[in-house]
Amino acid sequence: MSAFEELGVCPELIRAADDAGWLLPTPVQAEAVPLILGGGDVLAAAETGSGKTGAFGIPVLQIVHEALRDAAATRATGGPSAAMTDETADGAASVRVSVDDRSALFAVNNSPPDLPKGLALTQARSPAQWAGARATVGVVHGGRHHFEITVVDDGLVRCGWSTVAGSLDGLGTDSRSFGFGGTGTKSHGGRFETFGEPFGAGDVVGCSVDLVAGVVNFSINGRDCSGRGSGNTSGDDESAFTIPASMKGHALFPAVCLKNAECVVNFGHAPWEYAPPPGHDGVARADRNFVKINGPGARGSSTASSGGRSTNATHAKTKGAGTEGERRHGRTPKAIVLEPARDLAEQTRDFFASFATNLRDPTISAGLFVGGTDVGRDVKTLRDGCDVAVGTPGRIVDMVESGKLDVSGVRFFVLDEADRLLDSGNRGAILKLFDRMPKSGDGFCRLQVLLFSATLHSGDIEDLAARLCERPAWVDLRGKDSVPETVHHACVVVNPDERSTFDRSTFDDASGAALPPVPTDNAHAHDDQNQNQNQNQNQNQNQNQ
């Protein structure tokens, strides 16, 4: 297994790392990549040459590509595209926990290196508030469907089904979702009732929906919580919920809501811990006539209102239409990367262009926006479709304020060399950009802030991080008192009795000229004088005695 694969990096980017001669991740990459893939804000102490560009560039490329691929499938048919269903040999749809349709405090890794393929690891570590997410695929119109979660620790867990209109942070607290919690309660429309039994760490909870009978039900470790045919007398012999008429025809998406908890989700790509109820199958194996993609197009579009149905003719036309450039046309940036200087911006843009080479369907485009260049060229870059915008603060702000650069879909705000950005007076520009970016919500509206600096412990950096970041993870491998490797220490012992200056005449500069002497502070000369006076006084006293 590749060292990068252990970090959760996708095969296409691992191939790019191999092509670049990267055999092993650097320390900052090993720490930062999994954190960024997990969905949180990250502050990293990293110097030039430490591999920091890869530390943020690799996960940014991976998440942006995954999100664009899901959005492309949604635009194609309002349901799974042929490309998606072809991802598995038996025609099953590819289902993941959405990296877009989730709360700001909810972290997800759809390819955890220490779990079997097909499982997703989810986590929310706030002890004070709930955070949730929905799957990329839901079910509608028919069929019997199932997914399961395994509770990892003793936090609070609620799982169930939700429409795209349901609350992410409050599964079952509204009329658009159904929840089952670890306290042994079911919830819908804000009404909580005792159901089944409590569950916790190590338990496996099955979540099923029968769209033929119009009911939602749950199981714990294979035992049907309704009590029907399971020998479990703790249930009331009824399904957890009957789907109301107002929700008929609306797609239901697998949903998880956590408070200081972690769980593993299986949509049917991996073997079940416990078999689904009779007649049910995993969401990943649902008939394509009964599935609906969760993406920006699913919220408020005509496709969404029709339940995701489309004709084969429309599907065939969309799938084959246009070149890659035409499909990319008009895409707005999903990542903004600020650099303090033009040469650094060019190097970072080149990294994104190089590492995106193996990403297909869709490809990823990176644009360079720096001062002293033709604005018309920048406008054309944006018009052709730009997924990652790399540039200096002045040019990026000018493009945004003039309406040429749309930041409404930005997912990542990256400050590289943040200390240098602040030293050159860009704090105002940074905050101005941040204020224009979406901070939370559905689709491409969740913002991750990544801040890389030579040090994390200056007052300016800490103040900026407090303003921009939401409970960031710190990657500081060297500590507060560390000194950059480019700073060299030298200690020269000077005896004040011998000289009052440090004579550098023995050292020559580049031209061969002798360097002038450097005065010392003479502080210890006074100490020596006091010592001599004391010695003389002692000698006089001895003579008098």
Side-chain angles (χ1 to χ4, degrees):
M1 175 182 290
S2 163
F4 283 96
E5 185 178 357
E6 294 180 357
L7 303 182
V9 178
C10 66
E12 294 86 352
L13 292 174
I14 293 175
R15 205 154 55 241
D18 290 341
D19 293 342
W22 294 11
L23 301 179
L24 294 172
T26 65
V28 69
Q29 291 168 357
E31 293 288 336
V33 169
L35 291 172
I36 298 172
L37 289 176
D41 294 348
V42 172
L43 306 182
E47 304 164 16
T48 301
S50 64
K52 61 181 174 59
T53 304
F56 65 76
I58 287 175
V60 166
L61 279 172
Q62 181 162 324
I63 293 177
V64 168
H65 182 256
E66 184 178 77
L68 289 174
R69 185 176 57 190
D70 291 347
T74 302
R75 286 193 299 270
T77 64
S81 67
M84 288 190 68
T85 55
D86 285 345
E87 289 185 3
T88 55
D90 55 3
S94 176
V95 189
R96 299 174 294 279
V97 178
S98 177
V99 297
D100 299 314
D101 195 13
R102 57 173 173 164
S103 307
L105 301 180
F106 192 95
V108 55
N109 187 341
N110 282 298
S111 302
D114 53 348
L115 291 177
K117 185 176 181 181
L119 298 179
L121 181 64
T122 64
Q123 183 186 89
R125 282 306 177 201
S126 171
Q129 68 184 92
W130 289 89
R134 286 182 280 261
T136 57
V137 171
V139 292
V140 69
H141 298 310
R144 298 178 175 89
H145 315 283
H146 183 80
F147 76 99
E148 69 179 17
I149 69 164
T150 300
V151 183
V152 175
D153 55 23
D154 291 323
L156 297 178
V157 177
R158 198 181 299 157
C159 54
W161 301 85
S162 172
T163 69
V164 292
S167 170
L168 287 171
D169 299 339
L171 184 64
T173 62
D174 54 46
S175 61
R176 296 297 181 183
S177 60
F178 306 97
F180 178 44
T183 56
T185 56
K186 63 179 183 178
S187 55
H188 172 65
R191 182 179 179 182
F192 289 77
E193 299 177 295
T194 299
F195 181 77
E197 60 190 51
F199 60 85
D203 287 328
V204 179
V205 182
C207 306
S208 58
V209 60
D210 184 343
L211 294 178
V212 178
V215 297
V216 173
N217 204 20
F218 302 95
S219 63
I220 300 176
N221 299 327
R223 300 189 305 274
D224 185 347
C225 290
S226 70
R228 294 175 299 173
S230 64
N232 179 9
T233 58
S234 63
D236 57 6
D237 246 16
E238 294 181 0
S239 296
F241 302 104
T242 298
I243 302 175
S246 61
M247 295 183 68
K248 298 290 178 66
H250 292 271
L252 290 174
F253 295 84
V256 178
C257 199
L258 308 174
K259 181 191 283 188
N260 195 23
E262 182 176 303
C263 72
V264 175
V265 185
N266 183 7
F267 299 111
H269 292 302
W272 301 111
E273 293 290 338
Y274 297 93
H280 291 66
D281 207 344
V283 175
R285 296 181 173 277
D287 187 303
R288 66 181 301 149
N289 294 318
F290 298 146
V291 298
K292 180 73 181 344
I293 285 289
N294 181 9
R299 302 177 181 91
S301 69
S302 59
T303 303
S305 63
S306 66
R309 290 178 174 176
S310 60
T311 65
N312 292 334
T314 302
H315 169 66
K317 178 181 178 181
T318 309
K319 177 184 174 185
T323 65
E324 173 60 35
E326 291 170 339
R327 292 193 293 272
R328 192 174 63 234
H329 180 80
R331 287 203 317 236
T332 61
K334 304 301 179 286
I336 300 289
V337 182
L338 295 187
E339 297 283 356
R342 176 174 177 168
D343 59 333
L344 291 175
E346 291 174 342
Q347 293 171 18
T348 301
R349 189 280 312 271
D350 291 346
F351 165 85
F352 279 103
S354 173
F355 269 63
T357 302
N358 297 316
L359 297 174
R360 293 284 186 271
D361 298 324
T363 59
I364 300 294
S365 172
L368 178 66
F369 304 90
V370 295
T373 59
D374 181 15
V375 174
R377 184 207 65 178
D378 293 345
V379 173
K380 183 179 185 302
T381 298
L382 294 170
R383 189 188 307 121
D384 291 342
C386 175
D387 304 306
V388 179
V390 182
T392 49
R395 175 54 66 91
I396 294 287
V397 169
D398 288 345
M399 299 293 288
V400 171
E401 290 186 331
S402 63
K404 299 179 179 68
L405 197 163
D406 182 2
V407 296
S408 64
V410 170
R411 283 282 322 279
F412 288 98
F413 188 30
V414 183
L415 305 182
D416 190 18
E417 304 278 1
D419 47 344
R420 291 181 57 185
L421 285 169
L422 292 178
D423 290 344
S424 52
N426 289 304
R427 176 184 170 85
I430 291 170
L431 295 179
K432 187 177 295 185
L433 284 172
F434 178 74
D435 288 342
R436 287 177 175 260
M437 295 177 184
K439 309 303 186 298
S440 61
D442 295 340
F444 290 114
C445 295
R446 189 193 175 276
L447 183 69
Q448 273 183 263
V449 178
L450 312 178
L451 190 152
F452 284 71
S453 172
T455 176
L456 298 179
H457 300 282
S458 74
D460 291 340
I461 292 294
E462 291 179 348
D463 179 66
L464 183 66
R467 178 71 181 271
L468 302 184
C469 300
E470 181 77 21
R471 294 183 177 88
W474 284 52
V475 177
D476 190 3
L477 304 180
R478 307 193 61 182
K480 182 177 181 179
D481 297 326
S482 67
V483 177
E485 293 179 357
T486 52
V487 176
H488 299 281
H489 293 266
C491 178
V492 178
V493 178
V494 178
N495 188 336
D497 290 335
E498 297 179 357
R499 65 178 74 177
S500 61
T501 63
F502 171 38
D503 187 359
R504 293 195 303 181
S505 60
T506 56
F507 301 98
D508 298 334
D509 64 12
S511 65
L515 297 172
V518 178
T520 64
D521 58 11
N522 278 327
H524 295 290
H526 298 292
D527 296 339
D528 291 340
Q529 289 175 1
N530 292 336
Q531 182 179 1
N532 292 334
Q533 290 176 0
N534 292 334
Q535 291 176 349
N536 292 333
Q537 290 176 356
N538 291 335
Q539 291 175 357
N540 292 334
Q541 290 176 356
N542 292 333
Q543 291 174 357
N544 292 332
Q545 292 176 352

